[in-house]
Amino acid sequence: MKLKITLITVVFIRAIGLSHPVYADKEVYSPIVQKGEIELETKGLYDFDHSKDKNVVQEYKNAIGYSPTDRWATELYGEFERQPQQNDDRTTSISSVKFTHLEWENRYQLTPQGKYWLDAGIYFAYEIPMRDKNPGKIEGKILLEKSTQSLTHTANIIFNKEVGGGTTQETTAGFAWSSRYRLSEHFQPGIEYWIDFGQINERLSFNEQSHQIGPVFYGRLTRHINYDIGYLFGISDAAPRGELKWVIEYEF
Amino acid sequence: MIVRLMGYLVLGVCLWIPILCLAQTQSANMTQPADTIVIKNHQFIPLQLMVPAGQKIQITVDNQDPTAEEFESFDLDREQVVEGGKKIIVFIGPLKPGTYKYWGDYHQDTAKGVIVAQ
C-alpha cells in the first residue's frame, strides 16, 4: 500500500513537472563578462493558461552579482515560486508565493570577445532548496554568441539535474535561442525560442516537450539600468499558452 | 548522476573545440593588427582612428592614466574595462565603411573618439 501511494505521488509530481516551467527564469545568457561589474537583478515569469495547473504559475528571482575578472561572473539568487500543488481533496491549485531556493550561479567566458567567429562560455549553477522536501538542482549551460554589426544571436544549450533527497527526475536538456536587432542602445527588438526536451533518457514527442516562441525587447533605460522583457507563446501542449518574462538589471 | 551531467558538459564543450580551432586558424590569418589607442588624462589619442573596412581588426587600448577606464561602443558592440597603467586587446569587425563612435564610460565628458572604416 505504501509503495502504491509512493508510486502515485511520483507519477503525480512527474506529471506536474511536465506541465510547469522547468527553467527558473527565461534569460538567454551571453558568454561575455564585464570585469568589475556589480549587478542587482530581478527577473521573473508569469504564466497564462486555460488549465488550472498551468495558469498563474509564477517564478521570481532576485540577485546580487559581481565579475571579479574579465572572464568570470558570479551571482547569488533568492528564488520565489508559485507552483501547482495537490489539495487534500485531490484537486489541483496554485500555491502561495514561497521562498524555494538559494542559487549560486557562475559564468566563465572561454574566448576573448570577437577574436573568433563565435564567442563561447560556460555556465554552472547550484540551487540549494529552502524546504526539506524539495530537491536541489545543478544546471549547466554552454553559452554561444555571434554578433554582426546590427544583429546579435545567442544560443544556450542547457542541462539540469536534481540532486539530494526527493529527486524525481533524471537529467533534463533544453535549448534557448535569442536573436536581436541592435536598433539603438535603448531599444533592441528580438525573438526568443525556448525548448525543454524533458528527460534525456525519454524520447518525448513534440507536444510532450515544451516549445515557446515570442517577441522580446532588450535595451538600456538609463546608464545603469538594463531591461529584457517579452511574451512567449506556447506552441506545444506541454508549454503554457502564454508566458510573460522579464529581467531588470541595475549595474554599477 | 553529477558525473554524467559533467560528462555531457565536457562533451558539449569538446564538440565545439574543432569549430573554435578552425575559427582560430581563420581569424589568425584574417585579423589585421591596427594602431593603438592611448588613454591619457581621460582622453583617447588619437581622436579618430582609420582602419580598413571588411577585415577583422585587433586594436590595443593602452591606458596610461592611473585610474581604470571602460572602452565602450554601442556601434561596435564592445564594453571592456582597462585597468590603470594596463593594456587590453579589442577585436572588432569586419566593419562596413563608416564611422563608429566609442567612449570611456567612466569619463564620458572627455573620453570620446571615433573609428573610421574605409
Side-chain angles (χ1 to χ4, degrees):
Chain A
M1 184 64 182
K2 197 175 178 181
L3 179 65
K4 200 173 176 183
I5 291 169
T6 307
L7 277 173
I8 289 169
T9 307
V10 168
V11 167
F12 174 78
I13 292 170
R14 288 180 73 146
I16 291 290
L18 282 177
S19 64
H20 73 73
V22 169
Y23 307 121
D25 63 72
K26 286 271 168 59
E27 180 177 4
V28 184
Y29 283 87
S30 166
I32 307 304
V33 170
Q34 314 292 348
K35 184 181 178 182
E37 193 172 80
I38 300 173
E39 182 178 285
L40 299 175
E41 186 178 72
T42 181
K43 51 188 171 184
L45 302 173
Y46 194 108
D47 290 356
F48 303 92
D49 199 274
H50 294 316
S51 167
K52 273 185 181 176
D53 68 345
K54 288 195 280 185
N55 194 30
V56 301
V57 167
Q58 295 158 53
E59 302 196 358
Y60 306 100
K61 290 171 90 170
N62 299 309
I64 182 163
Y66 179 59
S67 308
T69 76
D70 56 2
R71 292 291 181 100
W72 175 43
T74 185
E75 283 191 75
L76 187 66
Y77 285 90
E79 187 176 330
F80 302 82
E81 292 180 351
R82 201 174 170 208
Q83 294 286 6
Q85 65 181 11
Q86 191 174 29
N87 302 319
D88 294 339
D89 60 0
R90 296 192 177 185
T91 57
T92 304
S93 64
I94 300 293
S95 71
S96 56
V97 176
K98 292 173 181 168
F99 178 34
T100 56
H101 292 88
L102 264 181
E103 181 183 340
W104 184 36
E105 175 190 291
N106 293 279
R107 270 187 307 138
Y108 190 80
Q109 183 177 333
L110 291 173
T111 57
Q113 186 178 18
K115 185 172 183 181
Y116 307 119
W117 183 81
L118 194 69
D119 299 320
I122 53 173
Y123 166 108
F124 180 81
Y126 179 56
E127 285 189 7
I128 305 160
M130 290 292 103
R131 288 163 186 277
D132 293 342
K133 290 177 185 173
N134 289 351
K137 191 165 81 173
I138 52 176
E139 186 173 45
K141 297 182 184 183
I142 297 167
L143 316 176
L144 304 165
E145 190 163 275
K146 174 66 182 170
S147 281
T148 62
Q149 273 188 247
S150 53
L151 292 168
T152 299
H153 310 286
T154 310
N156 292 174
I157 300 161
I158 307 162
F159 299 99
N160 274 301
K161 176 76 188 101
E162 288 182 348
V163 291
T167 57
T168 57
Q169 286 189 329
E170 292 295 319
T171 304
T172 63
F175 181 75
W177 178 276
S178 158
S179 286
R180 70 174 77 176
Y181 177 61
R182 303 181 66 254
L183 183 64
S184 80
E185 194 177 359
H186 303 292
F187 183 70
Q188 297 166 36
I191 190 165
E192 286 187 8
Y193 186 25
W194 284 83
I195 307 171
D196 173 14
F197 294 110
Q199 296 180 44
I200 56 178
N201 58 345
E202 293 178 332
R203 287 170 188 261
L204 299 177
S205 66
F206 179 86
N207 274 322
E208 289 171 322
Q209 299 170 0
S210 173
H211 290 256
Q212 295 169 282
I213 190 168
V216 180
F217 304 98
Y218 316 85
R220 181 172 280 190
L221 287 176
T222 67
R223 187 180 162 202
H224 298 288
I225 300 176
N226 298 324
Y227 69 89
D228 162 348
I229 185 164
Y231 190 86
L232 302 173
F233 297 92
I235 55 172
S236 66
D237 290 347
R241 197 176 171 85
E243 184 169 76
L244 182 66
K245 54 149 273 183
W246 65 90
V247 181
I248 309 287
E249 294 172 344
Y250 181 80
E251 297 173 350
F252 53 98
Chain B
M1 289 304 157
I2 294 172
V3 173
R4 193 194 290 180
L5 179 65
M6 294 308 293
Y8 286 124
L9 277 174
V10 170
L11 178 65
V13 171
C14 289
L15 287 173
W16 281 102
I17 287 174
I19 297 169
L20 291 172
C21 288
L22 181 64
Q24 184 174 15
T25 310
Q26 286 179 341
S27 63
N29 293 336
M30 293 164 62
T31 303
Q32 299 293 317
D35 297 293
T36 296
I37 296 173
V38 172
I39 303 171
K40 199 168 187 178
N41 299 323
H42 309 309
Q43 291 183 326
F44 288 115
I45 306 164
L47 291 175
Q48 181 172 296
L49 181 69
M50 309 297 284
V51 299
Q55 293 180 4
K56 188 166 273 198
I57 297 145
Q58 176 183 320
I59 294 172
T60 302
V61 180
D62 179 2
N63 186 0
Q64 297 182 0
D65 284 337
T67 55
E69 185 55 275
E70 187 170 76
F71 177 89
E72 182 164 354
S73 170
F74 177 76
D75 295 346
L76 298 166
D77 190 20
R78 290 294 178 271
E79 195 177 339
Q80 285 180 238
V81 171
V82 51
E83 301 286 348
K86 299 273 177 70
K87 295 178 184 178
I88 58 165
I89 304 290
V90 179
F91 297 93
I92 59 170
L95 300 174
K96 292 176 187 167
T99 300
Y100 301 86
K101 292 180 187 171
Y102 64 88
W103 62 90
D105 197 39
Y106 301 156
H107 303 90
Q108 293 190 23
D109 293 341
T110 54
K112 295 173 185 172
V114 292
I115 289 173
V116 179
Q118 58 182 15

